[in-house]
């Protein structure tokens, strides 16, 4: 048997792959096509047994439903098979590396899932009597302690449901703080390399966005930033390390200038994984930072959610943290939900959402933190930075790294200069990675370089995994430059679907199944 | 450390390849003064699974789970039985540990179930189109108000007095930036004249049904009155199981439906994560926030699904986006879809009837107790009773007797005197006759 | 005799008497890729020269379209609603976006001729 360390397959000498075979079913081995539940379901079938119950309808205010809803009926075995087959069409971290810059796709420990499902956490009502929820409130308090200690900040708002929601929370606190000073400041400075949620949130919170350019070396132009400060600037929003994967070394001077101008410093915490356990953002002078628990603290991405975005706050902003507040008194922990019961100095700007936050994600994050400990958190950050630099060093001779002269943080940025003249775009390159068994890296972000490719391996990859990934990317880059573009044309070919027509999907949106299969609804 | 695959040897080899002597060299852009030693963090060191499990189990044991005894809390979060299949399926690696489906070729599993979800939500709410979920019902309501403000180019939003106070506060905090939020008076047990508040400056009227005290609202006249003034009706549903027995908001003329989907597929989880449902008319599609999955085909003509109309979203429109939202509720959305697939028409409608029957039976029992008055004669699975004394201390006393009796209205509206003696009680298919007997017994003891 | 003028934001305007027709250039349409949706201004709306008047969307991007000249919107090309692809097929003809009346001829003086625009594009 040949075992090529860089190829995953073990092949016998003389082995030939079979010719393409058209099957009768249309399925291919373990790759099964799967219809919609509406096409599978039938009347009179159910996956849950309930008795038929007589009701009088007298208590329904005349609002009893008169028509069928139209839901399909399926038995339990059919439901399981349907969703198992669907799952097998998905890539996942458990199955392979995700080199997605700014997403921090690290391993999701299974212990966290078990802890979140303990009945004392999972089967607890948010409005249950205080005496019956002390363990949950204590858990939230512990997590708050971890977050404030790791960041070196005095306070944290726990209710935001995701990173973008956390950004909104931070900006609303800033807005309230400015109003409390009797001032009116409506401009927010945002680097042009920022993640889209930054300007979107700023606009959402009622501010106007003023873009700060990046310097050719990928860092924010601190001079330009300081020049834009003025009495109408409410805040700056910086990501540090920034979206090019670089630590903003001038951050302390920037913070000082921002504060001197009467403004606040919002830090996007998406890249906290590079510095957790080593650097405390509070020491750098920030006023607010959201922490994506689904990035740095491993809560699962779940195909798009749920997230959690608690926001650490400086002493200047802490008084404005939204309701509810968690306090401890002689009877134990308590949630303050009523403005009449506020502790001294608290002036919450309002409420971000119902109830108290993403408890399910809090349990998972605390489980992660307790497992790692402060030494594990620091080691994880180091390994994340080490792995990204290893990839940068291993690829920069065949790919183009605009800021590759120095080290990067936890993610390495490449652009498409190395593809110039080949006819292969960043998109083609990425789609070819799919055929190689990899999810593509983050593409076309940040916007400050052309055809960006942002690679963040995280600390969860073994060296063998990194080496295999590097080997593939080197191969793809070399083939593109040598004019061997066949594998890029029309990629991917080996995924459950080939390239999909996104133009048609946007021009004539079909956003639901309809019994009569008409693509557009009548008014 | 069990989650970190790199060995000390690996690290040396990698440092050598990079060409630096140690880790500190990689952090050279960080100001020296900003790097702190481990001792700066007053936190414990690495622990094994055994220790972590013990520590967290100890905390969990300090809580009284809803399933531990007679349990009657609702008010925006409901205890329903979730079939074992659901939790088993959502823990499959390819669902649990997958990313947002931005690469559709390798995310058809996620995209197809989101398409199924969007269809389910449209069917339940009686609306033409639904998105792939928002964070929860309260933020969905705030997004609906802002969407109505954009569509009508007006700012005023009128919130029914029956809207969950947490939802109203969320709307005030977020949508209050773009218009005046008017909260109608709280009138538990009596009709609300919200139509009188609608004028030519109104962008939308927000009505919850069943409302926070339990009563089922007739949305038709409100929809007509709103439309007559060029305003939109936003219908809010916090107990989505009610849609198995009641007329849909869409059939009654709602323009946008914002709902909490937690009741289906998702446990109580002390308040989150939950799943926001959002549905509207096709003509408002481009102003709808959140992700959307659409059907299309690939280059070989096979049907497939993609995220679409992304130009509304933050990663493209940036400051002109319809919302700043980036995630949806992912796994919670999947749990909803799977549970509803298991229920189907038959199971879902039976489930709704059982809920109503249970709550009806309990309402009769409690209403018959001396001093207890049923304030809401019409309801789905949640109703309000007036007690002869303040409800909050009674609930605490009942908890000591092992009965979690419901949510005192004063918890949600501490400044409404009228709420002090009111108790909001929910009964779902998980409540038994023994639970009812225990509640009745304990309540008589504490009154 | 109507001449077409161009802006450095890749809009074109063709004037006939005091009515002007506005659209985006071939260069812009190619850069955008497949157009999926066009948001057009309402009839009667007054726009100033350089003001945002419309939005054109492709799958991956949304771009503002600025009015090259000031005036009042007299007509929007509603055919683009059902067939946004027309913008790609014939951007400088059938893919027009909107017409303005009451146009100030002085606004045209600030714009580029066809030849000047062709030079401008070469330099990009």
């Amino acid at each position: 048997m040949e075992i090529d360390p860089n190829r995953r397959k073990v092949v016998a000498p003389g082995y030939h792959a079979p010719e393409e075979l058209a099957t009768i079913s249309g399925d291919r081995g373990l790759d099964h096509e799967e219809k919609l539940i509406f096409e599978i379901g039938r009347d009179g079938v159910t996956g849950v047994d309930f008795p038929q119950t007589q009701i009088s309808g007298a208590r329904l205010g005349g609002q009893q439903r008169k028509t069928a809803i139209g839901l399909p009926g399926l038995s339990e075995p059919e439901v399981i098979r349907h969703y198992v087959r669907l799952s097998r069409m998905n890539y996942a971290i458990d199955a392979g590396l995700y080199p997605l810059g700014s997403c921090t796709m690290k391993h999701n420990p299974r212990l966290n899932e078990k802890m979140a499902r303990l009945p004392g956490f999972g089967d607890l009502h948010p409005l249950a009597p205080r005496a019956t929820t002390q363990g949950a409130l204590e858990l939230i308090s512990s997590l708050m302690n971890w977050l404030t200690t790791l960041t070196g900040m005095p306070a944290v708002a726990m209710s935001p449901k995701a990173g973008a929601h956390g950004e909104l929370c931070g900006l609303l606190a800033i807005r309230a703080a400015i109003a409390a000073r009797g001032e009116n400041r409506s401009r927010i400075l945002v680097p042009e390399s920022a993640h889209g949620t930054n300007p979107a949130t700023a606009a959402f919170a009622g501010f106007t966005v003023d873009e700060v350019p990046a310097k050719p070396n990928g860092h924010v132009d601190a001079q330009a930033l300081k020049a834009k400060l003025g009495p109408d600037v409410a805040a700056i929003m910086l990501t540090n390390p920034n979206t090019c994967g670089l630590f903003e070394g001038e951050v302390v001077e920037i913070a000082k200038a921002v504060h001197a101008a009467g403004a606040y410093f919002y830090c996007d915490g998406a890249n906290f994984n590079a510095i957790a356990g080593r650097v405390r953002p509070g020491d750098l002078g920030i006023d607010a930072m959201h922490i994506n628990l689904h990035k740095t603290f491993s809560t699962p991405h779940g195909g798009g959610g749920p997230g959690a975005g608690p926001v650490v706050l400086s002493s200047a902003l802490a008084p404005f943290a939204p309701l509810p507040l968690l306090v401890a008194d002689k009877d134990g922990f308590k949630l303050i939900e009523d403005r009449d019961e506020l502790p001294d100095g608290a002036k919450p700007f309002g409420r971000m959402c119902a109830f108290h936050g993403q408890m399910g994600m809090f349990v998972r994050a605390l489980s992660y933190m307790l497992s790692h400990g402060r030494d594990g958190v620091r080691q994880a950050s180091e390994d994340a930075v080490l792995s990204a630099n290893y990839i940068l060093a291993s690829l920069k001779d065949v790919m183009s790294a605009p800021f590759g002269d120095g080290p990067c943080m936890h993610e390495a940025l490449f652009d498409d200069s190395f593809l110039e003249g080949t006819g292969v775009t960043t998109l083609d390159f990425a789609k070819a990675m799919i055929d190689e068994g990899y999810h593509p890296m983050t593409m076309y972000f940040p916007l400050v370089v052309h055809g960006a490719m942002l690679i963040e391996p995280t600390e969860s990859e073994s060296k063998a995994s990194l080496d295999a990934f590097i080997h593939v990317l080197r191969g793809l880059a070399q083939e593109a430059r040598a004019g061997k573009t066949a594998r890029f044309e029309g990629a991917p070919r080996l995924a459950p679907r080939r390239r999909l027509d996104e133009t048609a999907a946007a021009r004539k949106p079909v956003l639901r199944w309809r019994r009569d299969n008409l693509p557009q609804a009548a008014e | 450390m069990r989650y970190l695959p790199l060995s000390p040897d690996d690290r040396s080899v990698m440092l050598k390849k990079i060409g630096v002597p140690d880790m500190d060299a990689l952090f050279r852009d960080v100001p020296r003064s900003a790097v702190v030693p481990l001792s700066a963090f007053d936190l414990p060191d690495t622990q094994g699974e055994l220790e972590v499990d013990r520590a967290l189990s100890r905390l969990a044991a300090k809580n009284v789970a809803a399933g531990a005894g007679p349990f009657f809390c609702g008010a925006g979060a409901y205890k329903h039985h979730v079939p074992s299949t659901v939790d088993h399926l959502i823990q499959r690696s390819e669902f649990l540990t997958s990313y947002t489906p931005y690469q559709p070729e390798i995310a058809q599993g996620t995209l197809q179930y989101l398409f199924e979800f969007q269809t389910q939500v449209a069917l339940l709410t009686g609306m033409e189109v639904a998105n792939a979920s928002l964070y929860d019902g309260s933020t969905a309501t705030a997004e609906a108000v802002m969407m109505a403000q954009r569509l009508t180019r007006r700012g005023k939003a009128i919130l029914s007095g029956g809207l969950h106070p947490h939802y109203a506060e969320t709307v005030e905090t977020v949508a209050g930036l773009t218009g005046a939020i008017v909260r109608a008076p709280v009138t538990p047990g009596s009709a609300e004249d919200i139509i009188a508040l609608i004028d030519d400056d109104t962008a939308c009227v927000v009505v919850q049904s069943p409302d926070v005290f339990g009563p089922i609202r007739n949305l038709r006249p409100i929809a007509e009155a709103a439309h007559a003034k060029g305003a939109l009706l936003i219908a809010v549903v916090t107990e989505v199981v009610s849609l198995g027995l009641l007329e849909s908001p869409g059939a009654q003329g709602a323009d946008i439906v914002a709902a909490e989907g937690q009741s289906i597929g998702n446990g109580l989880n002390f308040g989150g994560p939950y799943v926001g449902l959002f549905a509207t008319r096709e003509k408002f599609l481009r102003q709808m926030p959140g992700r959307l999955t659409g059907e299309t085909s690939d280059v070989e003509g096979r049907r497939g699904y993609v995220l679409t109309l992304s130009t509304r979203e933050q990663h493209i429109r940036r400051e002109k986006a319809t919302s700043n939202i980036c995630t949806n509720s992912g796994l919670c959305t999947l749990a909803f879809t799977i549970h509803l697939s298991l229920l189907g028409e038959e199971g879902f409608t039976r489930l709704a009837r059982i809920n109503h029957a249970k709550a009806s039976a309990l309402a009769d029992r409690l209403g018959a107790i001396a001093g207890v008055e049923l304030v809401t004669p019409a309801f789905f699975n949640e109703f309000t009773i007036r007690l002869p004394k303040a409800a909050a201390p009674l609930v605490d006393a009942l908890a000591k007797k092992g009965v979690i009796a419901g949510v005192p209205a004063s918890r949600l509206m501490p400044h409404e005197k009228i709420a002090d003696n009111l108790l909001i009680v929910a009964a779902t298919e998980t409540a038994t006759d023994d639970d009812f007997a225990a509640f009745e017994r304990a309540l008589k003891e504490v009154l | 005799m109507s001449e077409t003028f161009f802006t450095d934001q890749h809009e074109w305007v063709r004037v006939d008497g005091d009515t002007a027709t506005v659209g985006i250039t071939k260069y812009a349409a190619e850069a955008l890729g497949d157009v999926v949706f066009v948001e057009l201004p309402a009839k009667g709306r007054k726009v100033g020269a350089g003001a945002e008047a419309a939005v054109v969307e492709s799958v991956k991007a949304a771009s503002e379209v600025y009015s090259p000249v000031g005036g009042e919107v007299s007509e929007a090309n509603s055919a683009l609603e059902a067939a946004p692809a027309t913008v790609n097929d014939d951007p400088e003809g059938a893919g027009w976006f909107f017409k303005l009346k009451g146009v100030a001829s002085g606004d045209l003086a600030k714009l580029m001729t066809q030849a000047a625009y062709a030079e401008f594009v070469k330099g990009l």
Side-chain angles (χ1 to χ4, degrees):
Chain A
M1 290 294 212
E2 299 166 3
I3 302 178
D4 179 333
N6 285 311
R7 290 187 58 199
R8 249 66 72 78
K9 284 199 158 74
V10 174
V11 297
Y15 171 79
H16 294 288
E19 296 282 313
E20 276 286 293
L21 173 68
T23 62
I24 297 164
S25 63
D27 292 335
R28 310 190 64 78
L30 288 183
D31 294 336
H32 295 102
E33 288 293 316
E34 190 59 20
K35 292 185 185 162
L36 294 165
I37 48 170
F38 309 97
E39 295 164 327
I40 299 169
R42 285 98 58 227
D43 291 339
V45 180
T46 184
V48 184
D49 288 315
F50 282 124
Q52 191 59 284
T53 311
Q54 285 292 78
I55 53 155
S56 81
R59 277 184 157 137
L60 296 175
Q63 297 286 90
Q64 191 164 354
R65 185 179 265 283
K66 299 170 191 67
T67 54
I69 302 166
L71 295 170
L74 293 94
S75 62
E76 181 180 301
E78 291 170 289
V79 170
I80 290 185
R81 185 165 297 160
H82 177 74
Y83 289 102
V84 166
R85 286 186 171 186
L86 288 189
S87 76
R88 283 160 38 174
M89 296 193 247
N90 274 0
Y91 192 92
I93 309 165
D94 281 356
L97 186 168
Y98 268 96
L100 283 171
S102 109
C103 296
T104 313
M105 299 296 287
K106 63 170 72 182
H107 172 66
N108 306 132
R110 285 317 190 279
L111 174 65
N112 303 355
E113 296 304 308
K114 180 183 175 192
M115 297 295 94
R117 286 169 168 82
L118 292 170
F121 297 134
D123 194 22
L124 197 64
H125 193 281
L127 300 175
R130 176 185 167 180
T132 66
T133 66
Q134 287 295 302
L137 297 175
E138 187 179 335
L139 185 143
I140 299 177
S141 176
S142 294
L143 182 64
M144 290 168 74
N145 180 54
W146 271 86
L147 292 171
T148 51
T149 304
L150 283 175
T151 57
M153 300 284 275
V156 57
M158 297 301 287
S159 54
K161 299 235 163 208
H165 209 215
E167 289 177 35
L168 182 62
C169 178
L171 291 191
L172 290 179
I174 287 170
R175 207 185 145 99
I178 291 171
R181 293 194 326 222
E183 289 179 10
N184 191 352
R185 294 170 175 247
S186 58
R187 199 156 47 103
I188 291 206
L189 306 181
V190 178
E192 54 179 355
S193 60
H195 190 274
T197 53
N198 290 177
T201 306
F204 205 75
F207 295 101
T208 52
V209 174
D210 190 357
E211 273 196 352
V212 181
K215 293 191 290 201
N217 65 4
H219 290 277
V220 73
D221 188 340
Q223 289 307 112
L225 192 156
K226 288 180 200 169
K228 282 181 183 273
L229 289 170
D232 67 327
V233 172
I236 66 161
M237 293 179 86
L238 269 199
T239 309
N240 192 21
N242 68 23
T243 59
C244 299
L246 307 169
F247 191 91
E248 294 283 13
E250 296 180 276
V251 62
V252 175
E253 293 82 66
I254 290 173
K256 287 195 178 111
V258 167
H259 291 143
Y264 294 94
F265 188 149
Y266 185 88
C267 185
D268 183 327
N271 292 332
F272 191 43
N273 203 46
I275 55 174
R278 189 183 200 90
V279 178
R280 293 182 302 203
D283 294 342
L284 306 174
I286 66 165
D287 288 296
M289 180 173 101
H290 73 270
I291 298 168
N292 306 76
L293 296 187
H294 48 291
K295 294 187 181 185
T296 314
F297 296 108
S298 87
T299 72
H301 279 78
V311 185
V312 287
L313 298 167
S314 64
S315 44
L317 291 182
F320 305 97
L323 294 173
L325 306 174
L326 180 63
V327 299
D329 66 17
K330 57 175 174 52
D331 297 321
F333 291 99
K334 181 179 160 140
L335 286 166
I336 304 286
E337 298 165 326
D338 176 12
R339 284 177 181 276
D340 283 354
E341 293 181 12
L342 292 172
D344 282 334
K347 303 171 206 125
F349 65 75
R351 176 182 271 282
M352 297 291 300
C353 58
F355 311 127
H356 341 304
Q358 306 280 68
M359 181 68 180
M361 318 329 281
F362 296 163
V363 180
R364 291 171 170 88
L366 187 63
S367 173
Y368 172 97
M369 288 164 174
L370 290 174
S371 295
H372 279 70
R374 60 184 172 174
D375 53 333
V377 167
R378 188 180 178 113
Q379 186 66 67
S381 304
E382 289 188 0
D383 285 355
V385 171
L386 180 64
S387 298
N389 277 283
Y390 182 63
I391 286 181
L392 178 62
S394 305
L395 289 177
K396 64 185 188 183
D397 62 317
V398 293
M399 291 172 65
S400 43
F403 314 121
D405 289 336
C408 59
M409 289 275 86
H410 64 312
E411 53 195 10
L413 180 62
F414 300 88
D415 66 16
D416 61 0
S417 328
F418 75 98
L419 292 172
E420 209 170 302
T422 63
V424 176
T425 63
T426 291
L427 182 68
D428 298 323
F429 193 86
K431 297 298 187 188
M433 287 169 69
I434 293 175
D435 283 334
E436 299 291 329
Y438 288 104
H439 190 283
M441 71 286 269
T442 299
M443 301 183 281
Y444 302 106
F445 176 80
L447 301 171
V448 293
V449 302
H450 199 269
M453 303 181 198
L454 190 61
I455 297 178
E456 178 185 356
T458 81
E459 70 277 11
S460 303
E461 297 304 316
S462 67
K463 184 168 173 299
S465 169
L466 294 173
D467 286 334
F469 177 71
I470 289 164
H471 177 78
V472 165
L473 256 60
R474 289 188 70 84
L476 289 176
Q478 283 162 338
E479 288 209 2
R481 280 146 68 111
K484 291 161 58 181
T485 56
R487 67 172 76 255
F488 300 98
E489 285 153 28
R493 288 199 201 89
L494 305 174
R497 282 296 178 268
R498 306 221 24 212
R499 278 202 218 185
L500 291 139
D501 191 346
E502 297 188 14
T503 300
R507 282 183 178 162
K508 295 256 185 290
V510 176
L511 304 171
R512 56 173 288 185
W513 175 86
R514 287 180 188 283
R515 196 174 286 275
D516 42 7
N517 267 331
L518 289 174
Q520 309 237 299
E523 255 305 283
Chain B
M1 199 275 157
R2 60 190 179 281
Y3 302 137
L4 302 179
L6 295 180
S7 70
D9 279 348
D10 290 334
R11 293 186 185 112
S12 312
V13 171
M14 290 163 75
L15 283 170
K16 212 150 150 223
K17 170 73 184 178
I18 295 165
V20 293
D22 53 34
M23 280 306 308
D24 286 336
L26 295 178
F27 285 93
R28 62 167 204 204
D29 281 345
V30 180
R32 293 260 85 219
S33 53
V35 178
V36 296
L38 264 187
S39 54
F41 301 102
D42 185 10
L43 296 167
D45 286 336
T46 310
Q47 292 178 81
E49 269 210 25
L50 180 55
E51 285 82 19
V52 176
D53 194 323
R54 192 181 286 141
L56 293 179
S57 297
R58 187 181 54 80
L59 281 182
K62 289 188 185 178
N63 303 316
V64 179
F71 172 85
F72 302 97
C73 287
Y78 300 88
K79 180 171 169 67
H80 290 283
H81 178 257
V82 179
S84 325
T85 302
V86 176
D87 204 38
H88 168 85
L89 286 170
I90 67 173
Q91 290 193 79
R92 281 186 69 83
S93 291
E94 301 92 329
F95 285 136
L96 184 72
T97 76
S98 58
Y99 182 60
T100 308
Y102 289 128
Q103 300 293 337
E105 302 91 339
I106 47 176
Q108 287 298 297
T110 299
L111 289 163
Q112 184 167 331
Y113 87 68
L114 287 178
F115 188 80
E116 293 173 345
F117 170 82
Q118 286 170 195
T119 308
Q120 288 171 330
V121 173
L123 290 172
L124 286 180
T125 58
M127 304 297 287
E128 288 166 348
V129 64
N131 72 12
S133 77
L134 299 177
Y135 306 135
D136 74 345
S138 66
T139 53
T141 304
E143 294 274 4
V145 169
M146 289 184 287
M147 179 171 156
Q149 289 168 331
R150 288 192 299 271
L151 283 168
T152 59
R153 298 183 200 267
R154 299 175 184 175
K156 188 195 293 191
I158 300 175
L159 311 185
S160 164
L163 179 64
H164 193 295
H166 286 191
Y167 283 45
E169 286 162 39
T170 302
V171 172
E172 281 178 324
T173 302
V174 179
L177 301 170
T178 35
I181 310 297
V182 173
R183 289 175 72 170
V186 174
T187 56
S190 45
E192 171 184 64
D193 187 9
I194 199 166
I195 290 176
L197 299 173
I198 307 173
D199 61 17
D200 294 320
D201 293 325
T202 306
C204 58
V205 187
V206 182
V207 182
Q208 178 180 324
S209 180
D211 78 24
V212 70
F213 297 104
I216 301 160
R217 305 291 298 271
N218 183 359
L219 300 176
R220 271 201 179 80
I222 307 174
E224 278 162 26
H227 296 154
K229 296 271 186 185
L232 302 181
L233 172 62
I234 296 171
V236 176
V237 182
T238 60
E239 168 51 299
V240 72
V241 175
S242 67
L243 296 173
L245 186 56
L246 303 177
E247 250 207 307
S248 72
Q252 298 179 66
D255 297 290
I256 306 174
V257 179
E260 175 53 65
Q262 172 270 322
S263 286
I264 300 180
N266 291 277
L268 294 169
N269 281 305
F270 200 52
Y274 288 170
V275 49
L277 314 183
F278 195 97
T280 188
R281 297 179 187 276
E282 190 118 16
K283 65 182 180 184
F284 299 146
L285 180 54
R286 285 176 181 280
Q287 284 302 320
M288 184 159 71
R291 292 200 184 120
L292 280 171
T293 305
E295 187 180 293
T296 185
S297 50
D298 77 351
V299 294
E300 289 182 359
R302 290 176 296 181
R303 179 176 72 182
Y305 303 92
V306 290
L307 290 179
T308 191
L309 300 184
S310 317
T311 46
R312 299 157 305 118
E313 296 183 72
Q314 50 78 24
H315 57 293
I316 292 180
R317 278 328 278 279
R318 297 171 71 92
E319 61 263 30
K320 299 209 165 112
T322 53
S323 167
N324 75 334
I325 195 169
C326 191
T327 52
N328 70 343
S329 285
L331 221 55
C332 299
T333 311
L334 175 61
F336 179 102
T337 308
I338 295 173
H339 190 180
L340 199 56
S341 299
L342 284 165
L343 286 168
E345 186 89 20
E346 196 61 40
F348 187 57
T349 50
R350 286 190 187 198
L351 173 64
R353 296 168 93 90
I354 292 169
N355 271 255
H356 182 62
K358 295 268 185 182
S360 268
L362 181 59
D364 287 339
R365 276 180 97 136
L366 297 180
I369 298 174
V372 177
E373 182 198 337
L374 178 64
V375 168
T376 57
F379 53 83
F380 170 63
N381 68 355
E382 183 166 47
F383 55 87
T384 297
I385 51 177
R386 180 174 291 118
L387 301 169
K389 309 189 254 187
L394 285 178
V395 166
D396 289 339
L398 287 164
K400 289 207 178 85
K401 289 180 178 291
V403 174
I404 302 188
V407 179
S410 56
R411 171 100 190 241
L412 296 176
M413 41 196 91
H415 300 275
E416 299 281 351
K417 284 254 58 116
I418 198 174
D420 283 350
N421 288 18
L422 298 181
L423 180 63
I424 304 172
V425 180
T428 71
E429 76 283 2
T430 60
T432 65
D433 288 337
D434 286 345
D435 292 336
F436 296 167
F439 191 176
E440 195 186 337
R441 199 166 45 240
L443 185 56
K444 284 177 177 159
E445 282 170 21
V446 301
L447 279 179
Chain C
M1 194 61 215
S2 56
E3 205 193 323
T4 311
F5 291 93
F6 296 80
T7 71
D8 61 359
Q9 297 289 315
H10 310 289
E11 293 99 7
W12 57 263
V13 57
R14 197 150 47 234
V15 182
D16 239 312
D18 84 332
T19 305
T21 308
V22 178
I24 65 170
T25 66
K26 193 144 163 283
Y27 177 85
E30 273 167 18
L32 259 181
D34 290 337
V35 173
V36 303
F37 183 73
V38 180
E39 192 185 300
L40 297 170
K43 191 169 158 184
R45 178 158 151 224
K46 291 191 174 58
V47 290
E52 188 192 311
V55 181
V56 58
E57 290 183 21
S58 66
V59 170
K60 295 290 186 213
S63 286
E64 280 76 39
V65 175
Y66 303 98
S67 186
V69 296
E72 184 183 312
V73 177
S74 57
E75 203 187 330
N77 190 354
S78 52
L80 294 183
E81 224 178 296
T86 313
V87 177
N88 296 108
D89 296 337
D90 188 10
E92 296 178 19
W96 61 274
F97 279 41
F98 56 91
K99 294 192 201 271
L100 296 168
K101 67 177 186 210
V103 175
S105 56
D107 283 348
L108 290 175
K110 304 177 190 132
L111 304 177
M112 289 184 258
T113 60
Q114 183 126 29
Y117 178 71
E119 273 304 305
F120 169 67
V121 162
K122 266 206 213 119
L124 287 172

